[in-house]
Amino acid sequence: DTEVTQTPKHLVMGMTNKKSLKCEQHMGHRAMYWYKQKAKKPPELMFVYSYEKLSINESVPSRFSPECPNSSLLNLHLHALQPEDSALYLCASSPHGGRGLDGELFFGEGSRLTVL
Amino acid sequence: AQTVTQSQPEMSVQEAETVTLSCTYDTSESNYYLFWYKQPPSRQMILVIRQEAYKQQNATENRFSVNFQKAAKSFSLKISDSQLGDTAMYFCAFLKTSYDKVIFGPGTSLSVIP
């Protein structure tokens, strides 16, 4: 299984809503990532979990709250978002400290978020 | 800090022809990884090819090959026999070690014309 699965694929929410994005991988990868991507732009790193611990937070506003319940799952909790938060949210995973595939990111298809 | 530059925001190529996408980067490190990622319209981003800086031999993957010039800090991607399915955004990326974050270039939008 070489997939990273993200749900939902599309999400529309109001600025007062609370919602969550979910990501799952079963490749045994120990690093998982959330990226935000605007159209025709590169992904922007938001958070990195390494061995289920938050290792990088790229100064993301607190209305985005990540959670890593176990080594296979990654959530992104959303609350009181702004219209400018509308974007494609990508989850990725990578092996950590191994050889060969070291550093390669495996991406999910993304969750397209629209904030009204 | 490392930076990655892709000087061609958009490119097009005729089907079956060859195209080269440019990438330059800036680093003071001697060991690192370089990648080309492909993101087709509305589809997931996938790795096309990777290069480890300590390897002098240029990486190849079927129709995809790179020209890695370490001294010039250049890492171009050549796509041979272009196919319609090659239409995508292509991102050049740099990674110092697996414990660091990947630095993406701004991307090149490639269109393959029938």
Side-chain angles (χ1 to χ4, degrees):
Chain A
D1 186 354
T2 58
E3 284 192 347
V4 175
T5 304
Q6 290 188 243
T7 56
K9 290 194 183 335
H10 300 274
L11 179 62
V12 179
M13 58 187 292
M15 290 190 285
T16 58
N17 291 158
K18 283 185 181 181
K19 297 285 185 183
S20 296
L21 305 180
K22 298 184 184 303
C23 175
E24 189 169 3
Q25 58 89 14
H26 295 288
M27 294 178 280
H29 291 173
R30 303 312 300 269
M32 295 186 76
Y33 310 75
W34 280 116
Y35 284 89
K36 174 183 178 181
Q37 188 180 30
K38 293 281 196 178
K40 296 284 190 179
K41 297 293 186 183
E44 298 172 33
L45 184 63
M46 300 175 72
F47 304 103
V48 181
Y49 274 84
S50 175
Y51 293 89
E52 298 150 57
K53 287 185 170 29
L54 184 64
S55 61
I56 296 178
N57 177 343
E58 291 287 297
S59 303
V60 178
S62 60
R63 57 185 184 268
F64 295 92
S65 175
E67 179 194 19
C68 188
N70 60 54
S71 60
S72 300
L73 293 174
L74 187 65
N75 298 321
L76 186 63
H77 303 298
L78 314 170
H79 174 55
L81 295 191
Q82 304 295 311
E84 59 265 29
D85 296 323
S86 298
L88 183 67
Y89 288 84
L90 296 171
C91 175
S93 69
S94 72
H96 218 312
R99 291 187 175 275
L101 296 175
D102 214 355
E104 177 181 351
L105 291 170
F106 292 76
F107 285 91
E109 292 190 9
S111 294
R112 187 162 299 282
L113 173 66
T114 303
V115 182
L116 301 177
Chain B
Q2 288 81 15
T3 59
V4 178
T5 302
Q6 294 177 251
S7 58
Q8 305 146 316
E10 294 184 356
M11 296 188 72
S12 61
V13 63
Q14 291 289 136
E15 196 175 5
E17 296 294 308
T18 295
V19 64
T20 299
L21 280 58
S22 301
C23 173
T24 57
Y25 58 95
D26 187 26
T27 185
S28 57
E29 303 293 329
S30 57
N31 290 324
Y32 46 87
Y33 304 91
L34 294 164
F35 308 88
W36 279 98
Y37 283 92
K38 168 186 177 182
Q39 188 176 33
S42 301
R43 293 181 59 190
Q44 73 191 109
M45 190 176 304
I46 58 171
L47 179 69
V48 174
I49 200 164
R50 57 179 279 139
Q51 175 83 40
E52 287 128 349
Y54 69 87
K55 291 185 177 179
Q56 293 186 342
Q57 187 173 7
N58 288 327
T60 62
E61 287 287 340
N62 300 314
R63 298 182 295 108
F64 299 88
S65 61
V66 297
N67 183 3
F68 173 49
Q69 302 288 328
K70 191 172 183 180
K73 297 179 183 174
S74 171
F75 183 61
S76 61
L77 175 70
K78 185 171 83 170
I79 306 174
S80 303
D81 186 26
S82 296
Q83 300 176 359
L84 296 178
D86 296 332
T87 292
M89 283 290 290
Y90 286 82
F91 294 101
C92 179
F94 172 98
L95 177 67
K96 188 168 70 172
T97 74
S98 62
Y99 296 94
D100 290 293
K101 65 178 187 179
V102 174
I103 309 297
F104 287 95
T108 295
S109 178
L110 177 67
S111 297
V112 180
I113 302 166

